[in-house]
Amino acid sequence: MTKADLVFTRGAVHTGDAARTRATGLAVTGGRITAVGHDEVRDLIGPDTEVVDLTGKLLLPGFQDAHIHAVFGGTELAVCDLTGTVGVADYLERIRAYADANPDQEWITGSGWSMESFEGGLPTRQLLDSAVPDRPVYLTNRDHHGAWANTRALELAGVDRDTPDPADGRIEREADGTPSGVLQEGATGLVARLVPPITAADRLEGLLRAQRLLHSLGITGWQDALLGEFNGQPDPSDAYLAAARSGALTARVNGALWWERERGAEQIAELVERRAASAHGRFRAGSVKIMQDGIAENFTAAMTSPYLDGCGCATANSGLSFVDPLALREYVTELDALDFQVHFHALGDRAVREALDAVEAARAANGRRDTRHHLAHLQVVHPDDLPRFARLGAIANIQPLWAAHEPQMDELTIPFLGPERASWQYPFGALLRAGATLAAGSDWPVSSPDPLAGLHVAVNRREPETEDDRVFLPEQRLDLASAIAAYTAGTAHVNGHDDAGVLAPGLLADLVVLDRDILTGPPEEIAAARVLRTYVGGELVHAVD
């Protein structure tokens, strides 16, 4: 009998296999799982076998992330980081400290401020001027759909009261029309184009920094949701290819090539070429990212009915559809015929419907193909559209961390949606009951990439460690096994990793060891668990001593 390279014994093993969900031992040989069972697995231990004692621990399939911006997240860790606080004074202190520590930087850049920190979600240029008056400052917010610029940055970009709003964005303004300092959606590019570009070396360093972080969270693979130039940001594809060619890319990565929304079908031939050129080792780019709308907090998510104003009356604004819905059907049909997966950003219920209509058009024209189209974010889904996911084979790509009561939800979203539409938010349970396949992701650096935090919210519909005892739409909670499946088998399916996501003989040994069995512990303690070990193809890529 061939002895194993690696054996896990005497613990809890959650296989993700519906026919055999629990085991106590698992063996790995040559990067693949060779046995799953109980005491008999110990027969595969030889003199050179590494043995991991799982007593009191839990072995799971490695987590995957279905929607993440790893290179952007990794590079942002090296600039002015405003995450982890919502205090305006904290923001200004961090900005001043970063500027003082980097006196030679022409621009002060960074990310992570939260809309909830400011009245109406809108900081001012004057506030930023008080921190850095002499150099341009450009800071994206935590969801990356808006940016905060100081007066110097706006002046250098030539953005003034006479500058028109771009078709895909909005310049927030003072009473006399002067830009107030916040740029929404496509308007961010008016200033971002002047920000000194991130170098290829910076991008590679950012990717490797991100990979270390993600492995420490038990993540073995992901789909990068934006490969291409966007709002002045360079294409991160070169970082993935460089890491893959050198062997430094230990994660399994599928990239989503950016659809330039100001262009049409003429770009499809270029996408075909980019797909062919973007395949090496553990990296490939077989998806196309189409951003169909914006976000609810700045009223750019596309809704089937108008947003409300502060008094609860209907406005004239129903959000933005960045791609013409009829043209979208044509584009998706052609991409589907070329075996591209389409990765939609669809946040409002109109955008969700437009994306589903496009998938339906592709199915009608091309038949049922194994293209695994998926809709990310799904903040508001009209009940009529819930059964369409299963019927069309469209995968629901959920970001569980957002499905909780917190100020951005309670103050900047619910009042402007109204009671009925607010009750349609993040319908994870309804989608699962309707037969949809769920995949899960974080949208990092928009929010934390920690899958355990995401699992916590998916199950509890409350943020970890919150003092708010309200449960956000409790009927939409997931059971923990289903939530784990979304972060493992569901996302592996989206990413085309058909030999991962479940622990069964013959499949890849992409594994994570937790410090406790979250399946038998209290659900309110899920986020307290910690990752002890992460393996990709049987190779240890993260360990806690």
Side-chain angles (χ1 to χ4, degrees), residues 86-137:
V86 294
V88 175
D90 289 341
Y91 293 154
L92 297 179
E93 182 179 348
R94 292 189 193 185
I95 294 164
R96 288 190 191 99
Y98 182 83
D100 291 344
N102 295 275
D104 298 328
Q105 283 193 5
E106 180 184 357
W107 282 70
I108 302 302
T109 61
S111 186
W113 59 272
S114 180
M115 294 173 66
E116 70 188 65
S117 303
F118 305 96
E119 184 177 357
L122 301 173
T124 67
R125 60 186 173 89
Q126 291 90 346
L127 193 60
L128 203 47
D129 293 344
S130 71
V132 184
D134 57 339
R135 282 183 281 172
V137 183

Side-chain angles (χ1 to χ4, degrees), residues 310-379:
C311 298
C313 299
T315 68
N317 176 30
S318 297
L320 300 174
S321 292
F322 291 137
V323 180
D324 175 79
L326 294 180
L328 181 67
R329 300 177 193 180
E330 298 176 8
Y331 304 153
V332 172
T333 297
E334 186 170 350
L335 290 167
D336 180 75
L338 293 168
D339 292 323
F340 276 109
Q341 175 188 78
V342 179
H343 181 155
F344 297 94
H345 168 118
L347 203 140
D349 63 337
R350 189 177 84 235
V352 171
R353 183 166 293 173
E354 290 166 353
L356 291 171
D357 288 346
V359 174
E360 188 166 32
R363 300 295 190 220
N366 303 328
R368 193 67 169 257
R369 302 172 66 86
D370 189 25
T371 37
R372 308 185 190 185
H373 306 310
H374 53 122
L375 282 66
H377 308 324
L378 302 175
Q379 179 166 357

Side-chain angles (χ1 to χ4, degrees), residues 74-407:
T75 55
E76 285 184 3
L77 291 174
V79 293
C80 185
D81 183 11
L82 301 180
T83 60
T85 184
V86 294
V88 175
D90 289 341
Y91 293 154
L92 297 179
E93 182 179 348
R94 292 189 193 185
I95 294 164
R96 288 190 191 99
Y98 182 83
D100 291 344
N102 295 275
D104 298 328
Q105 283 193 5
E106 180 184 357
W107 282 70
I108 302 302
T109 61
S111 186
W113 59 272
S114 180
M115 294 173 66
E116 70 188 65
S117 303
F118 305 96
E119 184 177 357
L122 301 173
T124 67
R125 60 186 173 89
Q126 291 90 346
L127 193 60
L128 203 47
D129 293 344
S130 71
V132 184
D134 57 339
R135 282 183 281 172
V137 183
Y138 178 82
L139 305 166
T140 54
N141 65 12
R142 74 177 188 182
D143 60 32
H144 292 68
H145 288 263
W148 182 14
N150 71 348
T151 300
R152 184 62 180 144
L154 294 167
E155 289 173 347
L156 288 173
V159 179
D160 57 26
R161 70 179 64 186
D162 297 320
T163 304
D165 288 346
D168 61 349
R170 183 173 69 247
I171 303 168
E172 301 291 355
R173 301 178 190 270
E174 298 167 2
D176 66 354
T178 301
S180 67
V182 172
L183 306 166
Q184 306 284 15
E185 299 295 345
T188 58
L190 299 172
V191 174
R193 62 185 174 82
L194 299 181
V195 174
I198 299 170
T199 67
D202 291 337
R203 291 192 290 277
L204 179 57
E205 183 180 352
L207 170 59
L208 298 180
R209 186 183 297 117
Q211 182 174 250
R212 290 191 295 272
L213 171 64
L214 298 175
H215 282 336
S216 77
L217 298 173
I219 296 171
T220 59
W222 61 81
Q223 183 159 150
D224 193 301
L226 203 169
L227 298 186
E229 295 181 3
F230 174 69
N231 276 354
Q233 298 295 318
D235 183 355
S237 300
D238 60 347
Y240 283 113
L241 283 169
R245 287 168 179 154
S246 72
L249 184 67
T250 49
R252 307 184 196 280
V253 180
N254 185 19
L257 303 171
W258 177 246
W259 180 270
E260 297 181 26
R261 56 202 186 205
E262 68 277 9
R263 301 175 64 197
E266 73 277 5
Q267 66 188 290
I268 293 177
E270 299 166 21
L271 294 170
V272 172
E273 293 178 1
R274 289 183 62 199
R275 176 175 61 181
S278 300
H280 192 93
R282 290 179 172 173
F283 172 64
R284 61 187 179 85
S287 188
V288 173
K289 167 70 173 298
I290 298 181
M291 187 171 175
Q292 187 57 14
D293 68 340
I295 60 171
E297 292 86 354
N298 68 8
F299 314 120
T300 57
M303 302 291 180
T304 56
S305 58
Y307 289 95
L308 307 182
D309 61 19
C311 298
C313 299
T315 68
N317 176 30
S318 297
L320 300 174
S321 292
F322 291 137
V323 180
D324 175 79
L326 294 180
L328 181 67
R329 300 177 193 180
E330 298 176 8
Y331 304 153
V332 172
T333 297
E334 186 170 350
L335 290 167
D336 180 75
L338 293 168
D339 292 323
F340 276 109
Q341 175 188 78
V342 179
H343 181 155
F344 297 94
H345 168 118
L347 203 140
D349 63 337
R350 189 177 84 235
V352 171
R353 183 166 293 173
E354 290 166 353
L356 291 171
D357 288 346
V359 174
E360 188 166 32
R363 300 295 190 220
N366 303 328
R368 193 67 169 257
R369 302 172 66 86
D370 189 25
T371 37
R372 308 185 190 185
H373 306 310
H374 53 122
L375 282 66
H377 308 324
L378 302 175
Q379 179 166 357
V380 180
V381 182
H382 193 287
D384 291 349
D385 290 316
L386 292 169
R388 299 180 69 196
F389 284 82
R391 188 168 72 247
L392 296 171
I395 299 162
N397 182 341
I398 63 174
Q399 282 62 63
L401 263 181
W402 304 348
H405 281 292
E406 43 85 28

